[in-house]
Amino acid sequence: VRSERGMLRGQVFPPLSGDTDAPWAILFHGGAGTDGSQMLDVACELSLVSYRVLVPDLYAHGKSDGELSSLGAADAQDVLTWVDWVLGEKQDARIVLMGQDEGALAVLLAQEKGLPQAVAAVAAESPTLDIPQIAKETLEDAGEPVGALEEALLGAAYRLAFGEKLERIDEARLAGSDEPTLLFAGTLDEQSPAYVAQDIAAAMGSRAQVCLIEGATHGMARYVDPEQYYDALLTFFREQLAENEPS
């Protein structure tokens, strides 16, 4: 699909059942060095239980256009672009969204922008809200020290590239949307500690819930305890789709 920033690319996997009325799941991957292939294990689980799954590459990742990642903060519009594409494929599609890390932040911010009624539920794993810290760590890992001057230049470059301030995302920004939301958090996640998911859920209120995975580090929840993870995810999606069933 063509977005405002360039071409975005993804893969579609049919439901194993062959059901032409299967709900759609759109899965958004994590951060630097990853692409949609990171979510293929989740795609397989969903395909097995009769979802049609779309796995995009985020902007500046994989086969999508772009040279510079926003670390998720400017990708919300691309989430909406993919939702619109699905609705163009099937006008009465029922849709669930899931994101990890950068993809988690993108789907949460897409809620802030306003998702179509076709989206029944959102799941987010290990959302990282401290964008400036991640930007600094990314540069320092590449051997680029970041002092006060470099921080100022980084902020200016980020605003020029994405039209967004380089700042930590406040949980209050995520409070106003309507979709039921499941937040996954690992108890040993240092990049996105469990309290981040809990604070987001508190801001969202009764429509949000947190699934804590004991012993999981960043992005590893489904590998540490796949039974708990997939039971929570599949049950949540199934229940929300049932509530969103057209009359």
Side-chain angles (χ1 to χ4, degrees), residues 9-13 24 36-37 40 53-57 63 82:
R9 295 174 172 84
Q11 300 179 79
V12 176
F13 300 90
W24 283 76
S37 64
L40 292 183
V53 187
L54 167 61
V55 184
D57 291 339
K63 295 181 179 179
W82 281 115

Side-chain angles (χ1 to χ4, degrees), residues 185-198:
T187 58
L188 299 184
D189 188 343
E190 296 182 357
Q191 181 174 320
S192 180
Y195 69 77
V196 173
Q198 292 165 333

Side-chain angles (χ1 to χ4, degrees), residues 31-33 68-69 71 102 131-146 154 191:
L68 184 64
S69 169
L71 306 178
E102 288 184 23
I131 304 303
Q133 183 61 32
I134 298 302
K136 288 169 59 179
E137 290 176 359
T138 301
L139 287 175
E140 288 170 351
D141 287 346
E144 300 288 343
V146 180
L154 181 60
Q191 181 174 320

Side-chain angles (χ1 to χ4, degrees), residues 198-244:
Q198 292 165 333
D199 288 349
I200 293 171
M204 289 182 168
S206 60
R207 67 185 180 82
Q209 55 187 283
V210 177
C211 179
L212 280 176
I213 306 293
E214 290 290 335
T217 55
H218 190 71
M220 298 301 291
R222 64 185 183 271
Y223 307 111
V224 170
D225 193 339
E227 184 175 357
Q228 180 188 358
Y229 185 95
Y230 284 113
D231 181 62
L233 181 68
L234 298 178
T235 299
F236 174 70
F237 280 165
R238 183 174 63 251
E239 291 177 350
Q240 300 310 322
L241 284 165
E243 289 191 16
N244 199 43

Side-chain angles (χ1 to χ4, degrees), residues 71-88:
L71 306 178
D75 293 316
Q77 188 58 49
D78 294 342
V79 173
L80 296 176
T81 296
W82 281 115
V83 171
D84 287 345
W85 180 84
V86 168
L87 292 174

Side-chain angles (χ1 to χ4, degrees), residues 154-165:
L154 181 60
Y158 192 90
R159 181 185 287 274
L160 183 64
F162 303 113
E164 301 262 354
K165 288 182 68 177

